[in-house]
Amino acid sequence: DQQVKQNSPSLSVQEGRISILNCDYTNSMFDYFLWYKKYPAEGPTFLISISSIKDKNEDGRFTVFLNKSAKHLSLHIVPSQPGDSAVYFCAASGRSNAGNMLTFGGGTRLMVKP
Amino acid sequence: KAGVTQTPRYLIKTRGQQVTLSCSPISGHRSVSWYQQTPGQGLQFLFEYFSETQRNKGNFPGRFSGRQFSNSRSEMNVSTLELGDSALYLCASSMDASSYEQYFGPGTRLTVT
């Protein structure tokens, strides 16, 4: 049972436009959400996070939106740049865990075309 | 500040052998988690250590084990390797027991033949 899902395996966007990556979760005990970016042969790089007490968090070109009632979060990248081309993972965690366990979605491959 | 380091980066083993992977967290970080990434199953949590104690364990067989040392460095061990254990093994560190953000190392690519 996948508790965190990224339904779009890939997304192609023109440079300068907005990229919107989506993520859905089913476990209502999740209270913290993170986005990671991953290049081939490297570990995931932390991008941005959001607590369930907020509905938006911004950091430069990256904004994460959380809709708790819909159990949905999205990552907006504006403007998109060719260097943003990578696989993006959303991850979730919750205080119900005994420790810092992240549950990951399957990833979305973003391709930003020049 | 140096990031998370993992050794070795690449490893080839034969079925039935055992393997030990090493992870050094970011300086000052006390929590270390391990994940397995495969094309079929994605990124899956293996276990997490804090203050030399395993706090959480994922749904993996007992062949997968780990430990953490007093300097927060961690090792994971896989015994009686199977072909399906071929994967990228990622280590992540976080500041303490209450930190959600985890910072990943480059991973160890294990190939079992």
Side-chain angles (χ1 to χ4, degrees), chain B residues 4-9 11 19-25 32 34 67 69 73-77 89-91 106-108:
Chain B
V4 177
T5 58
Q6 292 186 245
T7 56
R9 291 294 310 278
L11 206 47
V19 67
T20 299
L21 311 181
S22 182
C23 171
S24 291
V32 173
W34 289 88
R67 58 177 176 168
F69 303 95
R73 195 176 68 82
S74 176
E75 288 180 348
M76 68 162 280
N77 185 277
Y89 289 89
L90 293 158
C91 168
T108 294

Side-chain angles (χ1 to χ4, degrees), chain B residues 42-113:
Chain B
L43 270 158
Q44 291 189 294
F45 173 79
L46 278 157
F47 26 65
E48 185 228 352
Y49 288 88
F50 177 77
S51 290
E52 302 177 65
T53 301
Q54 186 182 90
R55 293 202 304 156
N56 212 345
K57 190 176 193 304
N59 190 23
F60 280 83
R63 300 185 297 106
F64 291 80
S65 63
R67 58 177 176 168
Q68 186 181 34
F69 303 95
S70 58
N71 62 359
S72 295
R73 195 176 68 82
S74 176
E75 288 180 348
M76 68 162 280
N77 185 277
V78 188
S79 62
T80 319
L81 283 165
E82 300 177 359
L83 295 178
D85 297 333
S86 295
L88 180 66
Y89 289 89
L90 293 158
C91 168
S93 75
S94 56
M95 182 72 74
D96 54 41
S98 59
S99 302
Y100 284 112
E101 282 87 9
Q102 295 182 21
Y103 298 88
F104 284 82
T108 294
R109 170 71 62 185
L110 172 65
T111 303
V112 182
T113 62

Side-chain angles (χ1 to χ4, degrees), chain B residues 22-35:
Chain B
S22 182
C23 171
S24 291
I26 293 171
S27 177
H29 283 196
R30 297 170 59 202
S31 171
V32 173
S33 299
W34 289 88
Y35 294 83

Side-chain angles (χ1 to χ4, degrees), chain A residues 24 41 44 60 65 72 81 84-85 93 98:
Chain A
D24 297 295
F65 295 91
H72 176 84
Q81 300 172 353
D84 296 330
S85 298
S93 186

